[in-house]
Amino acid sequence: MVRVVKPEENYKLPLTKPVVGVAGKTGLWRTMRPVVDNEKCTRCYQCEIYCPVNVIRVEPELGVTIDYEYCKGCGICEDVCPRSAIVMVPEPGE
Ligand code: SF4
Ligand code: SF4
């Protein structure tokens, strides 16, 4: 039988946690940055569930926060957001 996991139980899943690796913090790799419009966000949790490095938190009151030290800019959160509330923008050049 398949058990449906509620968003508030998400933290109990065996997800990897971001840690400093041999190449440093994964945010250093990023060339594109996800920017969230919390006015458009409906707190559906899709971005939090699908982020492969588990750096997104969705809070009902606060909206979406992203740990940019570890976000590597893959753009999956932008792809899965049903409200187009996340947009990838270029990081500032050197
Ligand atoms: S760009 Fe990728 S790593 Fe960064 S928050 Fe979105 S899904 Fe996660
Ligand atoms: S996927 Fe989009 S609408 Fe859903 S919680 Fe994330 S930012 Fe908000």
Side-chain angles (χ1 to χ4, degrees):
M1 186 173 137
V2 175
R3 189 174 82 83
V4 176
V5 177
K6 298 175 191 164
E8 60 269 26
E9 295 178 303
N10 186 33
Y11 305 107
K12 297 174 186 169
L13 291 173
L15 295 170
T16 56
K17 300 293 181 192
V19 295
V20 180
V22 291
K25 294 181 177 177
T26 50
L28 297 172
W29 309 349
R30 193 177 54 242
T31 57
M32 299 288 283
R33 165 183 291 248
V35 175
V36 183
D37 181 344
N38 276 307
E39 295 297 314
K40 286 186 179 178
C41 172
T42 56
R43 306 342 184 217
C44 74
Y45 292 89
Q46 292 299 300
C47 54
E48 181 176 304
I49 291 167
Y50 281 98
C51 174
V53 287
N54 194 23
V55 297
I56 300 181
R57 290 292 174 267
V58 181
E59 302 286 347
E61 300 297 327
L62 299 175
V64 176
T65 56
I66 297 173
D67 182 348
Y68 289 112
E69 289 198 329
Y70 291 99
C71 162
K72 55 188 170 190
C74 67
I76 290 174
C77 52
E78 178 188 51
D79 287 347
V80 300
C81 178
R83 296 277 297 161
S84 300
I86 302 179
V87 176
M88 299 299 291
V89 301
E91 288 285 354
E94 293 292 319

Coordinates of all heavy atoms in Angstrom, one line a residue:
M1 N 0.8 -1.2 0.0 CA 0.0 0.0 0.0 C 0.9 1.3 0.0 O 1.9 1.3 0.7 CB -0.9 0.0 1.3 CG -1.9 1.1 1.3 SD -3.0 0.8 2.7 CE -3.1 2.4 3.4
V2 N 0.5 2.2 -0.8 CA 1.3 3.4 -0.9 C 0.9 4.4 0.1 O -0.3 4.7 0.3 CB 1.2 4.1 -2.3 CG1 1.9 5.4 -2.4 CG2 1.7 3.1 -3.4
R3 N 1.8 5.0 0.9 CA 1.4 6.0 1.9 C 1.7 7.3 1.3 O 2.8 7.6 0.8 CB 2.3 5.8 3.2 CG 1.8 6.6 4.3 CD 2.6 6.3 5.6 NE 3.9 6.9 5.6 CZ 4.1 8.2 6.1 NH1 3.1 8.9 6.5 NH2 5.3 8.7 6.1
V4 N 0.7 8.2 1.4 CA 0.9 9.6 0.9 C 1.6 10.4 1.9 O 1.1 10.4 3.1 CB -0.5 10.2 0.5 CG1 -0.4 11.6 0.1 CG2 -1.2 9.3 -0.6
V5 N 2.6 11.1 1.5 CA 3.4 11.9 2.5 C 2.9 13.3 2.4 O 2.9 13.9 1.3 CB 4.9 11.9 2.1 CG1 5.7 12.8 3.1 CG2 5.4 10.4 2.2
K6 N 2.4 13.8 3.5 CA 2.0 15.2 3.6 C 3.2 16.2 3.6 O 4.3 15.8 4.1 CB 1.2 15.5 4.8 CG -0.1 14.6 4.9 CD -0.8 14.8 6.2 CE -1.9 13.8 6.4 NZ -2.3 13.7 7.8
P7 N 3.0 17.4 3.0 CA 4.2 18.3 3.0 C 4.8 18.5 4.4 O 6.1 18.6 4.5 CB 3.6 19.6 2.5 CG 2.4 19.1 1.7 CD 1.9 17.9 2.4
E8 N 4.0 18.6 5.4 CA 4.6 18.8 6.8 C 5.5 17.7 7.3 O 6.2 17.8 8.2 CB 3.6 19.2 7.8 CG 2.5 18.2 8.0 CD 1.3 18.4 7.1 OE1 1.5 18.9 6.0 OE2 0.2 17.9 7.5
E9 N 5.3 16.5 6.6 CA 6.1 15.3 7.0 C 7.4 15.2 6.1 O 8.2 14.3 6.3 CB 5.3 14.0 6.8 CG 4.1 13.9 7.7 CD 3.3 12.7 7.4 OE1 2.9 12.5 6.3 OE2 3.1 11.9 8.3
N10 N 7.5 16.1 5.2 CA 8.6 16.1 4.2 C 10.0 16.0 4.9 O 10.9 15.3 4.4 CB 8.6 17.3 3.3 CG 9.6 17.2 2.2 OD1 9.9 16.2 1.7 ND2 10.1 18.4 1.8
Y11 N 10.1 16.6 6.1 CA 11.4 16.7 6.7 C 11.8 15.3 7.3 O 12.9 15.1 7.7 CB 11.4 17.7 7.9 CG 11.0 19.1 7.4 CD1 9.8 19.6 7.6 CD2 11.9 19.8 6.6 CE1 9.4 20.8 7.2 CE2 11.6 21.0 6.1 CZ 10.3 21.6 6.4 OH 10.0 22.8 5.9
K12 N 10.8 14.4 7.3 CA 11.1 13.0 7.9 C 11.6 12.1 6.8 O 12.0 11.0 7.1 CB 9.9 12.5 8.5 CG 9.4 13.3 9.7 CD 8.1 12.8 10.3 CE 7.6 13.7 11.4 NZ 6.2 13.4 11.7
L13 N 11.6 12.5 5.5 CA 12.1 11.7 4.4 C 13.6 11.6 4.5 O 14.2 12.5 5.0 CB 11.6 12.3 3.1 CG 10.2 12.2 2.8 CD1 9.9 13.0 1.5 CD2 9.7 10.8 2.6
P14 N 14.2 10.5 4.0 CA 15.6 10.4 4.1 C 16.3 11.2 3.0 O 17.0 10.7 2.1 CB 15.8 8.9 3.8 CG 14.6 8.5 3.0 CD 13.5 9.3 3.5
L15 N 16.1 12.5 3.0 CA 16.7 13.4 2.0 C 18.1 13.7 2.5 O 18.4 13.7 3.6 CB 15.9 14.7 1.9 CG 14.5 14.6 1.4 CD1 13.7 15.9 1.6 CD2 14.5 14.2 0.0
T16 N 19.0 13.9 1.5 CA 20.3 14.4 1.8 C 20.3 15.8 2.3 O 19.4 16.6 1.9 CB 21.2 14.3 0.6 OG1 20.7 15.1 -0.5 CG2 21.4 12.9 0.1
K17 N 21.2 16.2 3.2 CA 21.3 17.5 3.6 C 22.5 18.2 3.0 O 23.5 17.5 2.8 CB 21.4 17.5 5.2 CG 20.3 16.9 5.9 CD 19.0 17.7 5.7 CE 17.8 17.1 6.5 NZ 16.5 17.7 6.1
P18 N 22.4 19.5 2.7 CA 23.6 20.1 2.0 C 24.7 20.2 3.0 O 24.5 20.6 4.2 CB 23.1 21.5 1.6 CG 21.9 21.7 2.5 CD 21.3 20.4 2.8
V19 N 25.9 19.8 2.6 CA 27.1 19.9 3.4 C 28.2 20.4 2.5 O 28.2 20.3 1.3 CB 27.5 18.6 4.0 CG1 26.5 18.0 5.0 CG2 27.8 17.5 2.9
V20 N 29.3 21.0 3.1 CA 30.4 21.5 2.4 C 31.2 20.2 1.8 O 31.5 19.3 2.6 CB 31.4 22.3 3.3 CG1 32.6 22.8 2.5 CG2 30.6 23.5 3.9
G21 N 31.4 20.2 0.5 CA 32.1 19.1 -0.1 C 33.5 19.5 -0.5 O 33.9 20.6 -0.1
V22 N 34.2 18.6 -1.2 CA 35.6 18.9 -1.5 C 35.7 20.1 -2.4 O 36.7 20.7 -2.5 CB 36.3 17.7 -2.2 CG1 36.4 16.5 -1.2 CG2 35.5 17.2 -3.4
A23 N 34.6 20.4 -3.2 CA 34.6 21.6 -4.1 C 34.0 22.8 -3.4 O 33.7 23.8 -4.1 CB 33.9 21.2 -5.4
G24 N 33.8 22.7 -2.1 CA 33.3 23.9 -1.4 C 31.8 23.8 -1.3 O 31.2 22.7 -1.5
K25 N 31.1 24.9 -1.1 CA 29.7 25.0 -1.0 C 29.1 25.0 -2.5 O 29.7 25.7 -3.3 CB 29.2 26.2 -0.2 CG 29.6 26.1 1.2 CD 29.1 27.3 2.0 CE 29.4 27.1 3.5 NZ 29.1 28.3 4.3
T26 N 28.1 24.2 -2.7 CA 27.6 24.0 -4.1 C 27.0 25.4 -4.7 O 26.9 25.5 -5.9 CB 26.5 23.0 -4.1 OG1 25.5 23.2 -3.1 CG2 27.1 21.6 -3.9
G27 N 26.7 26.3 -3.8 CA 26.3 27.6 -4.3 C 27.3 28.3 -5.1 O 27.0 29.2 -5.9
L28 N 28.6 27.9 -4.9 CA 29.7 28.6 -5.6 C 29.7 28.2 -7.1 O 30.3 28.9 -7.9 CB 31.1 28.1 -5.0 CG 31.3 28.5 -3.6 CD1 32.6 27.9 -3.1 CD2 31.4 30.1 -3.5
W29 N 29.0 27.1 -7.5 CA 29.0 26.7 -8.9 C 28.0 27.5 -9.7 O 28.0 27.5 -10.9 CB 28.5 25.2 -9.0 CG 29.2 24.2 -8.2 CD1 30.3 24.4 -7.4 CD2 28.7 22.9 -8.0 NE1 30.6 23.2 -6.8 CE2 29.7 22.3 -7.1 CE3 27.7 22.1 -8.4 CZ2 29.5 20.9 -6.7 CZ3 27.5 20.8 -8.0 CH2 28.5 20.2 -7.2
R30 N 27.1 28.2 -9.0 CA 25.8 28.7 -9.6 C 26.1 29.8 -10.6 O 26.9 30.8 -10.3 CB 24.9 29.2 -8.5 CG 23.5 29.4 -9.0 CD 22.6 29.9 -7.8 NE 23.1 31.0 -7.1 CZ 23.5 30.9 -5.8 NH1 23.3 29.8 -5.1 NH2 24.0 32.0 -5.2
T31 N 25.5 29.7 -11.8 CA 25.6 30.9 -12.8 C 24.2 31.5 -12.9 O 24.1 32.6 -13.4 CB 26.0 30.4 -14.1 OG1 25.2 29.3 -14.6 CG2 27.5 29.8 -14.1
M32 N 23.1 30.8 -12.5 CA 21.8 31.3 -12.5 C 21.2 31.2 -11.1 O 21.5 30.2 -10.4 CB 20.9 30.5 -13.5 CG 21.3 30.6 -14.9 SD 21.1 32.2 -15.7 CE 19.3 32.2 -16.0
R33 N 20.4 32.2 -10.7 CA 19.9 32.2 -9.3 C 18.3 32.2 -9.4 O 17.7 33.0 -10.1 CB 20.3 33.5 -8.7 CG 19.6 33.9 -7.4 CD 20.1 35.2 -6.9 NE 21.5 35.1 -6.4 CZ 21.9 35.2 -5.1 NH1 21.0 35.5 -4.2 NH2 23.1 35.1 -4.8
P34 N 17.7 31.3 -8.6 CA 16.2 31.4 -8.5 C 15.7 32.5 -7.6 O 16.2 32.7 -6.5 CB 15.9 30.0 -7.9 CG 17.1 29.7 -7.1 CD 18.3 30.3 -7.7
V35 N 14.8 33.3 -8.2 CA 14.2 34.4 -7.4 C 12.7 34.1 -7.3 O 12.1 33.8 -8.2 CB 14.5 35.8 -8.1 CG1 13.8 36.9 -7.4 CG2 16.0 36.0 -8.3
V36 N 12.3 34.3 -6.0 CA 10.9 33.9 -5.7 C 10.0 35.1 -5.6 O 10.4 36.1 -4.9 CB 10.8 33.1 -4.4 CG1 9.4 32.7 -4.1 CG2 11.7 31.9 -4.5
D37 N 8.8 35.1 -6.2 CA 7.8 36.1 -6.0 C 6.8 35.5 -5.0 O 5.9 34.8 -5.4 CB 7.2 36.5 -7.3 CG 6.1 37.6 -7.1 OD1 5.7 37.9 -6.0 OD2 5.7 38.2 -8.2
N38 N 6.9 35.9 -3.7 CA 6.0 35.3 -2.7 C 4.6 35.8 -2.8 O 3.7 35.2 -2.2 CB 6.6 35.5 -1.3 CG 7.7 34.5 -1.0 OD1 7.4 33.3 -1.1 ND2 8.8 34.9 -0.6
E39 N 4.3 36.8 -3.6 CA 3.0 37.2 -3.9 C 2.3 36.3 -4.8 O 1.1 36.0 -4.7 CB 3.0 38.6 -4.5 CG 3.5 39.7 -3.6 CD 2.6 39.9 -2.3 OE1 1.4 39.9 -2.4 OE2 3.2 40.0 -1.2
K40 N 3.0 35.7 -5.7 CA 2.4 34.7 -6.6 C 2.3 33.3 -6.0 O 1.5 32.5 -6.4 CB 3.3 34.6 -7.9 CG 3.2 35.7 -8.9 CD 3.9 35.4 -10.1 CE 3.9 36.4 -11.2 NZ 4.7 36.1 -12.4
C41 N 3.2 33.0 -5.1 CA 3.3 31.7 -4.5 C 2.1 31.3 -3.7 O 1.5 32.1 -2.9 CB 4.5 31.7 -3.5 SG 4.7 30.1 -2.6
T42 N 1.6 30.1 -4.0 CA 0.4 29.5 -3.3 C 0.8 28.5 -2.2 O -0.1 27.8 -1.7 CB -0.5 28.8 -4.3 OG1 0.2 27.8 -4.9 CG2 -1.1 29.8 -5.2
R43 N 2.1 28.4 -1.9 CA 2.6 27.5 -0.8 C 2.2 26.0 -1.1 O 1.7 25.3 -0.3 CB 2.0 27.8 0.6 CG 2.2 29.2 1.2 CD 3.1 30.1 0.7 NE 3.1 31.4 1.5 CZ 3.3 32.6 1.0 NH1 3.5 32.8 -0.3 NH2 3.4 33.6 1.8
C44 N 2.4 25.6 -2.4 CA 2.0 24.3 -2.8 C 3.1 23.2 -2.5 O 2.9 22.1 -2.6 CB 1.7 24.3 -4.3 SG 3.2 24.4 -5.3
Y45 N 4.3 23.7 -2.1 CA 5.4 22.8 -1.7 C 6.1 22.1 -2.9 O 7.0 21.3 -2.6 CB 5.0 21.8 -0.7 CG 4.6 22.4 0.7 CD1 3.3 22.8 0.9 CD2 5.6 22.6 1.7 CE1 3.0 23.4 2.1 CE2 5.3 23.2 2.9 CZ 4.0 23.6 3.1 OH 3.6 24.1 4.3
Q46 N 5.7 22.3 -4.1 CA 6.4 21.5 -5.2 C 7.9 21.8 -5.3 O 8.7 20.9 -5.5 CB 5.7 21.9 -6.5 CG 4.3 21.4 -6.6 CD 4.2 19.9 -6.5 OE1 4.8 19.2 -7.3 NE2 3.5 19.4 -5.5
C47 N 8.2 23.1 -5.1 CA 9.6 23.4 -5.3 C 10.5 22.8 -4.1 O 11.5 22.3 -4.4 CB 9.8 25.0 -5.2 SG 9.1 25.8 -3.8
E48 N 9.9 22.8 -2.9 CA 10.6 22.2 -1.8 C 10.8 20.7 -2.0 O 11.8 20.1 -1.7 CB 9.8 22.5 -0.5 CG 10.5 21.9 0.7 CD 9.8 22.3 2.0 OE1 9.6 23.5 2.3 OE2 9.4 21.3 2.8
I49 N 9.8 20.1 -2.5 CA 9.8 18.6 -2.7 C 10.8 18.2 -3.8 O 11.5 17.3 -3.6 CB 8.4 18.1 -3.0 CG1 7.5 18.2 -1.8 CG2 8.4 16.6 -3.5 CD1 6.0 18.0 -2.1
Y50 N 10.8 19.0 -4.9 CA 11.7 18.6 -6.0 C 13.1 19.1 -6.0 O 13.9 18.7 -6.8 CB 11.0 19.0 -7.3 CG 9.9 18.1 -7.7 CD1 8.6 18.4 -7.4 CD2 10.2 16.9 -8.4 CE1 7.5 17.5 -7.8 CE2 9.2 16.0 -8.7 CZ 7.9 16.3 -8.4 OH 6.9 15.4 -8.8
C51 N 13.4 20.1 -5.2 CA 14.8 20.6 -5.1 C 15.7 19.5 -4.8 O 15.6 18.8 -3.8 CB 15.0 21.7 -4.1 SG 16.7 22.2 -3.9
P52 N 16.7 19.2 -5.7 CA 17.5 18.0 -5.5 C 18.5 18.1 -4.4 O 19.1 17.1 -4.0 CB 18.3 17.8 -6.9 CG 18.3 19.2 -7.4 CD 17.0 19.9 -7.0
V53 N 18.8 19.3 -3.9 CA 19.7 19.5 -2.8 C 19.1 20.0 -1.5 O 19.8 20.3 -0.6 CB 20.9 20.4 -3.2 CG1 21.8 19.7 -4.2 CG2 20.4 21.7 -3.8
N54 N 17.7 20.0 -1.5 CA 17.0 20.2 -0.3 C 17.3 21.5 0.4 O 17.6 21.6 1.6 CB 17.3 19.0 0.7 CG 16.3 19.0 1.8 OD1 15.2 19.5 1.7 ND2 16.7 18.4 2.9
V55 N 17.3 22.6 -0.4 CA 17.7 23.9 0.1 C 16.5 24.9 0.1 O 16.7 26.1 0.5 CB 18.8 24.6 -0.6 CG1 20.1 23.7 -0.5 CG2 18.5 24.8 -2.1
I56 N 15.3 24.4 -0.2 CA 14.1 25.3 -0.2 C 13.2 24.9 1.0 O 13.0 23.8 1.3 CB 13.3 25.1 -1.5 CG1 14.1 25.4 -2.7 CG2 12.0 26.0 -1.4 CD1 13.4 25.3 -4.0
R57 N 12.8 26.0 1.7 CA 11.8 25.8 2.7 C 10.6 26.7 2.4 O 10.7 27.8 2.0 CB 12.3 26.2 4.1 CG 13.4 25.3 4.6 CD 12.8 23.9 5.0 NE 13.9 23.0 5.4 CZ 14.4 22.1 4.5 NH1 14.1 22.1 3.2 NH2 15.3 21.3 4.9
V58 N 9.4 26.1 2.5 CA 8.1 26.8 2.3 C 7.4 26.9 3.6 O 7.2 25.9 4.3 CB 7.2 26.0 1.3 CG1 5.9 26.8 1.1 CG2 7.9 25.8 0.0
E59 N 7.2 28.1 4.1 CA 6.5 28.3 5.3 C 5.2 29.0 5.0 O 5.2 30.0 4.2 CB 7.3 29.3 6.2 CG 8.7 28.8 6.6 CD 8.7 27.6 7.6 OE1 7.6 27.4 8.2 OE2 9.7 27.0 7.7
P60 N 4.1 28.5 5.5 CA 2.8 29.1 5.2 C 2.7 30.7 5.4 O 2.2 31.4 4.6 CB 1.8 28.4 6.2 CG 2.4 27.1 6.4 CD 3.9 27.4 6.4
E61 N 3.3 31.1 6.5 CA 3.3 32.6 6.7 C 4.4 33.4 6.0 O 4.1 34.4 5.5 CB 3.4 32.9 8.2 CG 2.3 32.2 9.1 CD 1.0 32.7 8.8 OE1 0.9 33.9 8.4 OE2 0.0 32.0 8.9
L62 N 5.6 32.8 5.9 CA 6.7 33.5 5.4 C 6.9 33.3 3.9 O 7.5 34.1 3.2 CB 8.0 33.1 6.1 CG 8.0 33.3 7.6 CD1 9.3 32.7 8.2 CD2 8.0 34.8 7.9
G63 N 6.4 32.2 3.3 CA 6.6 32.0 1.9 C 7.8 31.1 1.7 O 8.2 30.3 2.6
V64 N 8.5 31.3 0.6 CA 9.6 30.5 0.2 C 10.9 31.1 0.6 O 11.1 32.3 0.3 CB 9.6 30.2 -1.3 CG1 10.8 29.4 -1.8 CG2 8.3 29.5 -1.7
T65 N 11.8 30.3 1.2 CA 13.2 30.8 1.4 C 14.1 29.8 0.7 O 13.9 28.6 0.8 CB 13.6 31.0 2.9 OG1 13.3 29.8 3.5 CG2 12.7 32.1 3.5
I66 N 15.2 30.3 0.2 CA 16.2 29.4 -0.5 C 17.6 29.7 0.2 O 18.0 30.8 0.4 CB 16.3 29.7 -2.0 CG1 14.9 29.4 -2.6 CG2 17.4 28.9 -2.6 CD1 14.8 29.8 -4.1
D67 N 18.3 28.6 0.5 CA 19.7 28.7 1.0 C 20.6 28.8 -0.2 O 21.0 27.9 -0.8 CB 20.0 27.5 1.9 CG 21.4 27.5 2.5 OD1 22.2 28.4 2.1 OD2 21.7 26.7 3.3
Y68 N 21.0 30.1 -0.4 CA 21.8 30.3 -1.6 C 23.3 29.8 -1.4 O 24.0 29.8 -2.4 CB 21.8 31.8 -2.0 CG 20.5 32.3 -2.5 CD1 19.7 33.1 -1.8 CD2 20.1 31.8 -3.8 CE1 18.5 33.6 -2.4 CE2 18.9 32.2 -4.3 CZ 18.1 33.1 -3.6 OH 16.9 33.5 -4.2
E69 N 23.7 29.5 -0.2 CA 25.0 29.0 0.0 C 25.1 27.6 -0.7 O 26.2 27.1 -1.0 CB 25.4 28.9 1.4 CG 25.6 30.2 2.1 CD 26.3 30.1 3.4 OE1 26.2 29.1 4.1 OE2 27.0 31.1 3.7
Y70 N 24.0 26.9 -0.8 CA 24.0 25.5 -1.4 C 23.2 25.4 -2.6 O 23.3 24.3 -3.3 CB 23.6 24.5 -0.3 CG 24.6 24.4 0.8 CD1 24.4 25.1 2.0 CD2 25.8 23.6 0.6 CE1 25.4 25.0 3.0 CE2 26.7 23.5 1.6 CZ 26.5 24.2 2.8 OH 27.4 24.1 3.8
C71 N 22.3 26.3 -3.0 CA 21.6 26.2 -4.2 C 22.6 26.2 -5.4 O 23.4 27.2 -5.4 CB 20.6 27.4 -4.3 SG 20.0 27.7 -6.0
K72 N 22.5 25.3 -6.3 CA 23.5 25.3 -7.4 C 22.9 25.7 -8.7 O 23.5 25.6 -9.7 CB 24.1 23.9 -7.5 CG 23.2 22.7 -7.7 CD 24.0 21.5 -7.6 CE 23.1 20.2 -7.5 NZ 23.8 19.0 -7.2
G73 N 21.7 26.3 -8.7 CA 21.1 26.9 -9.8 C 20.7 26.0 -10.9 O 20.7 26.4 -12.1
C74 N 20.2 24.8 -10.6 CA 19.8 23.9 -11.6 C 18.5 24.3 -12.3 O 18.2 23.8 -13.4 CB 19.6 22.5 -11.0 SG 18.2 22.4 -9.8
G75 N 17.6 25.1 -11.7 CA 16.4 25.5 -12.3 C 15.2 24.6 -12.2 O 14.1 24.9 -12.7
I76 N 15.4 23.5 -11.5 CA 14.2 22.6 -11.3 C 13.1 23.3 -10.6 O 11.9 23.1 -11.0 CB 14.7 21.3 -10.6 CG1 15.6 20.5 -11.5 CG2 13.5 20.5 -10.1 CD1 16.2 19.3 -10.8
C77 N 13.4 24.1 -9.6 CA 12.3 24.7 -8.9 C 11.5 25.6 -9.8 O 10.2 25.7 -9.7 CB 12.8 25.5 -7.7 SG 14.2 26.7 -8.2
E78 N 12.1 26.3 -10.7 CA 11.4 27.1 -11.7 C 10.5 26.3 -12.6 O 9.4 26.6 -12.9 CB 12.4 27.9 -12.6 CG 11.7 28.7 -13.7 CD 12.7 29.3 -14.6 OE1 13.6 28.6 -15.2 OE2 12.7 30.5 -14.9
D79 N 11.0 25.1 -13.0 CA 10.3 24.2 -13.9 C 9.0 23.7 -13.2 O 8.0 23.5 -13.9 CB 11.2 23.1 -14.4 CG 12.2 23.5 -15.4 OD1 12.1 24.6 -15.9 OD2 13.1 22.7 -15.6
V80 N 9.1 23.3 -12.0 CA 8.0 22.6 -11.3 C 7.0 23.6 -10.7 O 5.9 23.2 -10.4 CB 8.5 21.7 -10.2 CG1 9.4 20.6 -10.8 CG2 9.1 22.4 -9.0
C81 N 7.3 24.9 -10.6 CA 6.4 25.8 -10.0 C 5.2 26.0 -10.9 O 5.3 26.5 -12.0 CB 7.0 27.1 -9.7 SG 5.9 28.3 -9.0
P82 N 4.0 25.7 -10.4 CA 2.8 25.8 -11.2 C 2.3 27.3 -11.4 O 1.4 27.5 -12.2 CB 1.7 25.0 -10.5 CG 2.1 25.0 -9.1 CD 3.6 25.1 -9.1
R83 N 2.8 28.2 -10.6 CA 2.4 29.6 -10.6 C 3.4 30.5 -11.2 O 3.3 31.7 -11.2 CB 2.2 30.0 -9.2 CG 1.0 29.3 -8.5 CD -0.3 29.9 -8.8 NE -0.4 31.3 -8.3 CZ -1.2 32.2 -8.8 NH1 -2.1 31.9 -9.7 NH2 -1.2 33.4 -8.3
S84 N 4.5 29.9 -11.8 CA 5.6 30.7 -12.3 C 6.1 31.8 -11.3 O 6.4 32.9 -11.6 CB 5.2 31.4 -13.6 OG 4.9 30.5 -14.6
A85 N 6.1 31.3 -10.0 CA 6.5 32.3 -9.0 C 8.0 32.3 -8.8 O 8.6 33.1 -8.0 CB 5.8 31.9 -7.6
I86 N 8.7 31.3 -9.4 CA 10.2 31.3 -9.4 C 10.8 31.6 -10.8 O 10.4 30.9 -11.7 CB 10.7 30.0 -8.8 CG1 10.1 29.7 -7.4 CG2 12.2 29.9 -8.8 CD1 10.5 28.4 -6.8
V87 N 11.7 32.5 -10.8 CA 12.3 32.8 -12.1 C 13.8 32.8 -11.9 O 14.4 33.3 -10.9 CB 11.9 34.2 -12.6 CG1 12.6 34.7 -13.8 CG2 10.4 34.3 -12.8
M88 N 14.5 32.1 -12.9 CA 16.0 32.1 -12.8 C 16.5 33.3 -13.5 O 16.1 33.7 -14.6 CB 16.5 30.8 -13.6 CG 16.0 29.5 -13.0 SD 16.4 29.2 -11.3 CE 18.2 28.9 -11.5
V89 N 17.4 34.0 -12.8 CA 18.1 35.2 -13.3 C 19.6 35.0 -13.3 O 20.1 34.2 -12.4 CB 17.7 36.4 -12.5 CG1 16.2 36.6 -12.6 CG2 18.2 36.4 -11.1
P90 N 20.3 35.6 -14.2 CA 21.8 35.4 -14.2 C 22.4 36.0 -12.9 O 22.0 37.0 -12.4 CB 22.3 36.2 -15.4 CG 21.0 36.4 -16.3 CD 19.9 36.4 -15.3
E91 N 23.4 35.3 -12.4 CA 24.2 35.9 -11.3 C 25.0 37.0 -11.9 O 25.4 37.1 -13.0 CB 25.2 34.8 -10.8 CG 24.5 33.7 -10.0 CD 24.1 34.1 -8.6 OE1 24.4 35.3 -8.2 OE2 23.4 33.3 -8.0
P92 N 25.3 38.0 -11.0 CA 26.1 39.1 -11.5 C 27.5 38.6 -11.9 O 28.0 37.7 -11.4 CB 26.3 40.0 -10.2 CG 25.2 39.5 -9.3 CD 24.9 38.1 -9.6
G93 N 28.0 39.2 -13.0 CA 29.3 38.8 -13.5 C 30.4 39.3 -12.6 O 30.2 40.1 -11.7
E94 N 31.6 38.8 -12.8 CA 32.8 39.2 -12.0 C 33.1 40.7 -12.3 O 33.0 41.1 -13.4 CB 34.0 38.3 -12.3 CG 33.8 36.9 -11.8 CD 33.7 36.8 -10.3 OE1 34.5 37.5 -9.6 OE2 32.9 36.0 -9.8
Ligands
SF4_1 S1 17.8 26.1 -8.6 FE1 18.0 23.9 -8.1 S2 19.3 23.8 -6.3 FE2 18.6 25.9 -6.4 S3 16.7 26.0 -5.2 FE3 16.1 25.6 -7.3 S4 15.9 23.4 -7.4 FE4 17.1 23.8 -5.6
SF4_2 S1 6.3 25.7 -6.4 FE1 5.8 27.8 -6.7 S2 3.8 28.2 -5.8 FE2 4.6 26.2 -5.1 S3 5.5 26.7 -3.1 FE3 7.1 26.8 -4.6 S4 7.2 28.9 -5.3 FE4 5.3 28.6 -4.2

